[in-house]
Amino acid sequence: MERISQQLPRRFNVAAYFLERHLSDKIALFYQEQTYTYTQVYEWVQKAARSLLELGIERENRIALLLPDTPELIFTFWGAIWIGAVPVPINTACSLEEVQYILQDSRAKLLLTTQAWQTQLHPIQSPNLQTTLLQDGETPFLAYLSPMPAQPLPPADTLRDEPAFWLYTSGSTGNPKGVIHLHQNMVVCAENYGKATLGLQPEDITYSVANLPFAYGLGNSLYMPMAVGAATVLSDANNAFDIIADIERYRPTVFFGIPSVYANLLAVRDIAPLDVSSLRLCVSAAEQLPESLWQQWREVYGREICEGIGTTEFLHIFLANRAGECKPGTSGRPVPGYDVRVVDEFGATCPPGEIGNLQVSGDSLMLGYWNRLEQTRQALYGHAMRTGDKYLCDADGYFKFMGRKDDLFKVNGQWVSPMEIEDVLHQHPQVLEVAVVPESEALTQVVAYITLKSDYQPSPELEQQICRFAKQRLPHFKAPKKVCFVEELPRTPTGKIHRKLLTRSQQRTDFSTTRA
């Protein structure tokens, strides 16, 4: 069967592909009190493209976009690709140091950001950055855009396999890496996952808690709904109550969440129950969803959570549970178009039930990391990539995440996966979130960092109770010997638990923890 990428014409501009296919008065975007139809989105992209040209932006120039999820971000992202430039969305959850690094590393010629960020970044430490455009409440960026051209601006004569945009990894291990994606990659993900796996339809309204600069969010809120002519909600919700209000207001049909959000929505259900009547599909990604959390969501709301896993390097999800076929506690089975295997250190496929390295191949694989030749060659094996995740594949073909390669550790000479322990601790009625790490470099004990539900307070008695709870359900060497209660777990800009900070915190005093 011919690959999706090979079905596309050699000369191909992905912005034109998505923007010209559904021109109509159908709503494409919901944003606060505003709506934008597909025709209006196309017109705003035309204005953004013309404005970028007038600013001297040329083909292959990088454009940094440091914005919240707003229409401006979408219009400028597509407008840059339309003229053959390369947008680089930057997650607003990044630290100031990470943003400065990305601006320098990408050699962006133009930065579009808010007044607040521009003030923080001044002076910007990037000699190649020539212009800063501002977007704030008083002078929105849309006001700066050129009028709609009398004749539509033709898209740049790009190729399907040339760079279209960059995304930066979350930087949990060292500086963020610039991941180079091609014009064809969004189409591959939209077809294989959005259509063939999720079954997105024109009537759908998607709602994503992941932001657009995050690979998961970019698919959820941009190109996957546009591939079928569906609508999406752009939101600045930052807590469970805001998300509940958004779902009641916009009535989305597909909810893209992450494990911590599902946990928080369940935690507040007694005072703010979620109306799920509009939702036909709930999805989770970014990190492992505890099986107990899946079961609780199903019991409370009567909905499955279709968990999946993807990476920035593959742009979106390549392992997924499908509606009606979910196996809780797993990442699901391969998405069409991807070859996924668990292999040993020599590249041989592991038998069912044996832990190994996750190796994936598919047409949405990145071109490589910007200016990281050695790391690119370490990651890529021809058309495949080893993701750095430890997995096993069971007898039914479902893949189970066992941790990052650096997450697994030994206790008494036996390998321990933190995921197994965390899933047990999630079953305790007072636990909201948990992360398990080894005590020290000696790797002799298991430590559990725990955030409690809002009605509970840390105490020595609760620590002992949680430890007993774990011992009754786990082999003795896997049960935590120490519990540290924290107000919140440290996270990367993409929302994943930052385990390395937890490990380092045990040798430092600047990470706030409360021992029971």
Side-chain angles (χ1 to χ4, degrees):
M1 182 177 175
E2 189 179 25
R3 305 196 312 270
I4 289 172
S5 62
Q6 297 301 310
Q7 298 173 26
L8 302 176
R10 173 73 173 147
R11 298 194 174 279
F12 178 79
N13 184 292
V14 71
Y17 174 85
F18 281 109
L19 290 162
E20 294 178 340
R21 61 194 292 113
H22 295 294
L23 287 176
S24 68
D25 291 333
K26 188 177 184 302
I27 293 175
L29 300 176
F30 292 92
Y31 178 68
Q32 298 180 356
E33 303 299 327
Q34 301 167 300
T35 60
Y36 295 85
T37 67
Y38 271 88
T39 297
Q40 288 172 327
V41 170
Y42 171 82
E43 291 173 348
W44 280 113
V45 170
Q46 283 280 320
K47 295 175 185 179
R50 178 73 69 182
S51 298
L52 292 172
L53 289 175
E54 292 174 355
L55 287 166
I57 298 301
E58 299 175 346
R59 184 165 172 172
E60 300 179 7
N61 285 164
R62 266 85 71 189
I63 300 173
L65 306 175
L66 180 60
L67 289 171
D69 281 11
T70 58
E72 290 96 325
L73 176 55
I74 287 179
F75 302 154
T76 314
F77 180 87
W78 284 131
I81 295 176
W82 190 277
I83 64 172
V86 179
V88 183
I90 303 175
N91 197 325
T92 54
C94 287
S95 67
L96 181 61
E97 292 73 20
E98 287 171 327
V99 173
Q100 289 280 19
Y101 174 82
I102 291 171
L103 291 175
Q104 293 178 54
D105 184 64
S106 65
R107 302 174 192 163
K109 185 175 181 180
L110 177 70
L111 170 65
L112 172 61
T113 190
T114 63
Q115 180 68 57
W117 266 107
Q118 195 268 350
T119 301
Q120 291 184 67
L121 290 166
H122 183 78
I124 296 174
Q125 300 167 11
S126 179
N128 300 288
L129 200 63
Q130 298 178 7
T131 309
T132 301
L133 295 180
L134 305 181
Q135 178 265 327
D136 57 36
E138 296 180 359
T139 312
F141 171 67
L142 299 184
Y144 293 121
L145 295 183
S146 298
M148 178 69 181
Q151 295 295 325
L153 190 70
D157 188 23
T158 50
L159 305 178
R160 69 188 182 209
D161 54 1
E162 75 173 78
F165 62 99
W166 295 5
L167 296 175
Y168 272 81
T169 61
S170 58
S172 59
T173 54
N175 287 323
K177 298 187 291 289
V179 176
I180 303 172
H181 276 293
L182 312 177
H183 280 257
Q184 68 184 33
N185 290 10
M186 285 191 279
V187 181
V188 172
C189 294
E191 294 293 325
N192 288 336
Y193 182 67
K195 292 183 181 180
T197 304
L198 296 182
L200 292 181
Q201 300 294 327
E203 298 76 23
D204 279 321
I205 301 173
T206 68
Y207 183 98
S208 175
V209 302
N211 295 332
L212 286 162
F214 182 15
Y216 180 46
L218 190 71
N220 303 342
S221 299
L222 188 68
Y223 60 85
M224 288 199 303
M226 292 191 75
V228 298
T232 195
V233 177
L234 298 181
S235 172
D236 56 0
N238 56 19
N239 59 54
F241 300 104
D242 290 344
I243 293 170
I244 291 168
D246 278 345
I247 291 175
E248 182 176 341
R249 175 182 182 182
Y250 296 108
R251 309 293 294 161
T253 60
V254 182
F255 177 66
F256 293 99
I258 59 177
S260 61
V261 166
Y262 284 108
N264 287 320
L265 290 172
L266 285 168
V268 302
R269 69 184 185 277
D270 290 338
I271 57 175
L274 174 67
D275 181 1
V276 299
S277 59
S278 69
L279 297 177
R280 70 170 186 84
L281 195 60
C282 297
V283 180
S284 183
E287 57 186 344
Q288 181 72 20
L289 181 75
E291 182 176 349
S292 56
L293 188 59
W294 190 98
Q295 298 288 3
Q296 190 178 5
W297 186 266
R298 179 66 177 269
E299 291 169 6
V300 172
Y301 290 118
R303 297 288 191 276
E304 295 178 308
I305 300 176
C306 296
E307 183 180 1
I309 190 71
T311 64
T312 306
E313 290 85 352
F314 276 96
L315 188 56
H316 214 269
I317 289 173
F318 48 73
L319 280 174
N321 281 280
R322 293 155 177 80
E325 302 175 15
C326 290
K327 190 168 188 177
T330 76
S331 301
R333 293 178 292 186
V335 167
Y338 294 92
D339 179 60
V340 186
R341 303 180 186 183
V342 177
V343 300
D344 61 21
E345 299 304 321
F346 303 100
T349 301
C350 295
E354 183 176 305
I355 298 175
N357 303 301
L358 192 70
Q359 180 172 294
V360 186
S361 62
D363 271 2
S364 65
L365 180 59
M366 66 175 181
L367 180 64
Y369 299 119
W370 169 250
N371 276 352
R372 302 283 188 95
L373 178 60
E374 183 175 351
Q375 288 174 288
T376 298
R377 288 181 172 169
Q378 288 174 350
L380 302 186
Y381 295 75
H383 298 289
M385 176 184 177
R386 292 189 188 167
T387 66
D389 297 313
K390 291 291 186 178
Y391 263 81
L392 64 79
C393 181
D394 66 19
D396 298 321
Y398 285 81
F399 287 71
K400 184 175 179 62
F401 179 57
M402 304 305 291
R404 293 286 296 171
K405 62 182 179 182
D406 297 331
D407 290 342
L408 274 70
F409 54 90
K410 282 188 175 181
V411 175
N412 297 336
Q414 301 187 64
W415 282 109
V416 172
S417 168
M419 307 300 145
E420 177 186 1
I421 305 169
E422 290 167 6
D423 190 54
V424 167
L425 293 175
H426 268 110
Q427 298 172 37
H428 191 281
Q430 298 181 30
V431 171
L432 177 62
E433 290 190 293
V434 59
V436 167
V437 297
E439 182 180 37
S440 66
E441 293 182 359
L443 306 180
T444 57
Q445 291 187 346
V446 176
V447 180
Y449 286 83
I450 288 175
T451 61
L452 297 174
K453 294 178 180 177
S454 58
D455 295 337
Y456 302 100
Q457 297 297 322
S459 69
E461 293 75 22
L462 181 55
E463 177 185 13
Q464 295 171 10
Q465 182 190 119
I466 290 174
C467 288
R468 286 196 302 270
F469 181 88
K471 287 178 181 177
Q472 293 169 0
R473 293 162 175 78
L474 289 166
H476 70 92
F477 68 94
K478 293 183 180 180
K481 302 301 187 292
K482 183 192 300 183
V483 171
C484 295
F485 295 110
V486 295
E487 291 186 6
E488 60 182 19
L489 295 172
R491 296 187 178 276
T492 68
T494 53
K496 298 179 183 178
I497 294 173
H498 205 320
R499 296 176 187 277
K500 290 189 180 297
L501 286 184
L502 289 172
T503 304
R504 294 171 198 154
S505 74
Q506 297 176 73
Q507 286 78 43
R508 302 200 315 258
T509 59
D510 60 349
F511 184 80
S512 176
T513 65
T514 303
R515 266 298 308 273

